[in-house]
Amino acid sequence: MAVVRTNMSPVGTIKKLHGVGQPPFTGVSFHMFHYLKEFACPFSRLHDVQGVYGGGRWVDIPNLFRNFDADPEDPASYDFTFTDLLMKALVDHGIEPFFRLGVTIENQCRIKSYRIDPPKDPLKWTKICEGIIRHYNEGWADGYHMNIRYWEIWNEPDNSHIPEDNMMWTGTMEDYFELYGTASRYLKDRFPDIKIGGYASCGFYGWNADRNDPKQARNIYYIDYAEKFLEYVSKHNCPLDFFSWHSYGSIGDTVKYVEYATERLAAHGFVGLEQSLNEWNCQPNARGTLKHAALTTGMMLALQNTAVDTAMFYDARYGTSIYGGMFNPLTAEPFPAYYGFMAFSELYKRQVQTDLTFDIPGVYGLAAGTAEDGCIVLSNTGKDPVPLELILPEDTKITGCRVIEEGKIWAETEYTAVLAGESVLCLWIGK
């Protein structure tokens, strides 16, 4: 029997790790946003928004500013129509937009690319970004005062070491560094209170790879790209308020990637820099299963005790991508993984992380709150059930229980002292 113990002693603050990438909408219907509001979704990152469907209307710089030769000081040069609808819907549901300044991935770039070339004038591109930020934060061009904090410069310019296979950037590494340097300095000077960062790195899969293995060439390119980027921003004194990166690896591997990223940031003088894991999804091809629910919940629980500050699951769309792991594309009903976000939100609403001690392979867990109003979430990513001995503070008892397991998807039930295989257990405790 596995022992799980807590004294409900404060050890930290629950982080905003239950954000999402693209939100669930089609056309101009945002009726599914209530699902995000129900788990207090802290962020929605706006990249690949609606992908090939509606891709000519939303968020991307060429959609907002359709003629690059136009005047970025003229409000008439911009088309905010559809992106305004999306931004307002997010804010109205209490979700903070995490705005990617760039373009959508072009998966068929080998046939022809359209928008992933480096801007022909980096400074003018930056001034277009200035107009977008003014619109959403300063009310310019019949805009808003949304106080959007996070502005990310491009996405995955390191997408491939083979130029013709790079679905996000046709230019060189140096071309991107020039764009980042120009944009970060100008925008930070113009808007000192916002957070400027990037570069949405493909990740650190090659952190310990054999450099003589040709199969690792792409992963090693990711590593080298990050090193040279950090060298560049350090040498040229570029603002870097957050470093964003991605992982589609296992929970254990992703934790190792966090450690590696933290080490390399510190080596370049960025000790304690905010890290955003703003694309992650563990085994997306398992979507719709209890296994995926356990892995998804386990990832958020594991990230809490790492140096990652914010995280965004890729993604919350439905119907257009295998990565849409939260909603059934046929029914638009939540998949089991969605309820893992509901479980994590119970921790987040209590804010204070408390001690939780256990040693169970494949099981991840967190506790939050107080002995009077506490919550414990455990996720078993293994197939076998685990009998539990739960030790709580004196005079504290279980006051409620929900599970995500076979036949019981976020169902209220009695606590049975067993953590089922590939399941999530959410316990409420009190006096």
Side-chain angles (χ1 to χ4, degrees):
M1 181 170 290
V3 176
V4 178
R5 181 193 304 271
T6 179
N7 294 314
M8 297 306 289
S9 301
V11 296
T13 302
I14 301 294
K15 302 174 186 176
K16 296 179 178 181
L17 303 174
H18 54 311
V20 301
Q22 302 83 336
F25 74 103
T26 56
V28 291
S29 174
F30 307 106
H31 69 280
M32 289 183 67
F33 281 19
H34 75 90
Y35 284 115
L36 306 187
K37 184 176 182 178
E38 285 167 18
F39 67 78
C41 178
F43 294 107
S44 179
R45 179 177 181 246
L46 303 182
H47 169 63
D48 291 348
V49 175
Q50 291 214 344
V52 295
Y53 302 108
R57 299 181 291 179
W58 310 91
V59 176
D60 291 1
I61 302 297
N63 297 340
L64 296 171
F65 196 88
R66 294 181 175 274
N67 177 9
F68 193 83
D69 295 326
D71 181 3
E73 292 293 327
D74 183 356
S77 301
Y78 297 80
D79 186 351
F80 294 111
T81 308
F82 283 92
T83 303
D84 279 358
L85 296 175
L86 172 60
M87 296 285 280
K88 190 173 186 301
L90 288 170
V91 172
D92 287 349
H93 284 81
I95 304 160
E96 182 174 352
F98 192 107
F99 206 108
R100 185 272 288 124
L101 296 165
V103 296
T104 291
I105 194 169
E106 296 189 11
N107 300 97
Q108 292 80 38
C109 65
R110 259 195 177 267
I111 300 173
K112 185 178 180 180
S113 62
Y114 289 85
R115 295 177 165 187
I116 59 175
D117 298 326
K120 59 185 179 182
D121 183 340
L123 181 58
K124 183 169 185 179
W125 184 87
T126 298
K127 290 183 177 180
I128 294 168
C129 295
E130 177 187 15
I132 295 167
I133 298 171
R134 290 174 68 195
H135 178 74
Y136 289 112
N137 281 1
E138 295 184 346
W140 182 74
D142 296 321
Y144 305 88
H145 295 271
M146 292 181 172
N147 190 32
I148 306 304
R149 294 181 297 161
Y150 290 87
W151 298 88
E152 185 177 42
I153 299 173
W154 217 263
N155 170 80
E156 293 187 359
D158 60 339
N159 187 269
S160 177
H161 62 299
I162 302 172
E164 56 267 32
D165 286 342
N166 192 322
M167 296 177 282
M168 282 304 317
W169 185 256
T170 63
T172 66
M173 186 185 299
E174 291 72 24
D175 289 334
Y176 174 71
F177 296 167
E178 179 188 0
L179 179 67
Y180 185 87
T182 300
S184 64
R185 285 189 292 265
Y186 183 97
L187 294 176
K188 191 65 175 179
D189 183 65
R190 174 63 178 79
F191 307 101
D193 294 331
I194 67 173
K195 295 188 177 186
I196 297 290
Y199 52 91
S201 160
C202 284
F204 301 103
Y205 311 102
W207 72 277
N208 64 346
D210 179 0
R211 287 183 169 268
N212 295 316
D213 182 355
K215 294 180 181 179
Q216 292 291 333
R218 188 173 185 175
N219 289 336
I220 290 169
Y221 180 71
Y222 299 158
I223 295 294
D224 292 345
Y225 202 107
E227 286 294 310
K228 292 177 182 178
F229 173 78
L230 294 174
E231 288 174 7
Y232 181 92
V233 295
S234 179
K235 179 180 178 180
H236 293 86
N237 197 29
C238 302
L240 185 65
D241 296 316
F242 64 89
F243 181 73
S244 54
W245 57 279
H246 304 158
S247 174
Y248 292 89
S250 69
I251 297 172
D253 284 348
T254 300
V255 170
K256 292 177 183 176
Y257 303 154
V258 180
E259 294 169 353
Y260 177 82
T262 304
E263 173 196 322
R264 299 317 304 156
L265 286 167
H268 289 279
F270 298 104
V271 177
L273 183 72
E274 183 174 345
Q275 292 187 54
S276 183
L277 179 57
N278 61 14
E279 279 191 27
W280 68 270
N281 191 335
C282 189
Q283 297 189 27
N285 59 350
R287 70 175 184 165
T289 66
L290 291 170
K291 178 180 182 179
H292 193 236
L295 290 169
T296 300
T297 309
M299 183 72 84
M300 290 184 282
L301 299 176
L303 289 173
Q304 170 65 27
N305 292 319
T306 72
V308 164
D309 297 283
T310 61
M312 282 145 252
F313 176 77
Y314 190 100
D315 56 49
R317 289 177 294 180
Y318 69 97
T320 61
S321 169
I322 185 64
Y323 293 99
M326 295 183 76
F327 301 101
N328 188 318
L330 300 179
T331 66
E333 294 295 317
F335 274 143
Y338 168 82
Y339 296 100
F341 289 82
M342 291 291 286
F344 191 88
S345 74
E346 291 297 321
L347 299 167
Y348 179 72
K349 71 173 58 173
R350 288 166 174 82
Q351 287 294 293
V352 177
Q353 180 186 358
T354 55
D355 68 299
L356 189 69
T357 304
F358 63 95
D359 185 11
I360 314 171
V363 174
Y364 301 88
L366 283 178
T370 64
E372 289 75 23
D373 176 25
C375 181
I376 298 170
V377 177
L378 297 170
S379 180
N380 182 6
T381 64
K383 292 184 178 181
D384 297 328
V386 179
L388 298 176
E389 179 184 357
L390 182 62
I391 301 176
L392 302 174
E394 188 176 357
D395 298 327
T396 301
K397 62 182 180 180
I398 295 170
T399 59
C401 175
R402 281 185 183 266
V403 294
I404 306 170
E405 61 183 50
E406 188 67 43
K408 299 177 182 178
I409 307 301
W410 199 234
E412 292 187 32
T413 187
E414 290 189 11
Y415 174 61
T416 62
V418 175
L419 182 59
E422 296 181 343
S423 74
V424 177
L425 173 67
C426 184
L427 297 174
W428 288 268
I429 64 174
K431 294 291 188 180

